Amino acid sequence: MKRLSMLLVCAAAIVSLWQFAAPQTASAEDYWIYGTEDGTSYWVDSDSAWKNPRSETVCCGLLKTVVNQQCVNRTRWSFGADEGYIWANGFAIYAGEQHAGNEPIHHRPELLALYHWLMQNAPTK
């Protein structure tokens, strides 16, 4: 009986020491936001996502480009919107109907998907 109780105490000590010494890790989740016909997929890193508390249209997030199940690119994007335009890192990715043809628009559906995901899901920081 004494051996059994000593064994249990040692096991509990080892488990407690392991929990104390093991590094505490927190992992962000990646969310799929867009895919292309060639198999490229785009994911947002939820840990990098945020919205500006002083503006309803300014947000930022990290976009991961995945090809053949390998991350080939990670780019941080900052977005803003005003007067019918949506901007990504300084260039227009969307223009409302009233602005069609006025400004060069870069056709980047993955960035538009990222903007909409951020506006709906990113925390305010």
Side-chain angles (χ1 to χ4, degrees), residues 81-96:
D82 65 356
E83 299 179 3
Y85 290 100
I86 297 175
W87 303 87
N89 288 5
F91 61 88
I93 60 170
Y94 175 82

Side-chain angles (χ1 to χ4, degrees), residues 39-98:
T40 302
S41 61
Y42 297 91
W43 299 74
V44 61
D45 179 345
S46 65
D47 197 35
S48 71
W50 61 269
K51 287 188 286 194
N52 187 329
R54 293 174 289 195
S55 173
E56 294 180 7
T57 61
V58 175
C59 55
C60 185
L62 182 71
L63 182 68
K64 296 179 180 181
T65 305
V66 177
V67 177
N68 294 329
Q69 299 181 357
Q70 296 289 323
C71 183
V72 296
N73 191 9
R74 295 167 40 103
T75 306
R76 180 167 305 282
W77 291 95
S78 298
F79 295 93
D82 65 356
E83 299 179 3
Y85 290 100
I86 297 175
W87 303 87
N89 288 5
F91 61 88
I93 60 170
Y94 175 82
E97 289 182 27
Q98 71 273 24

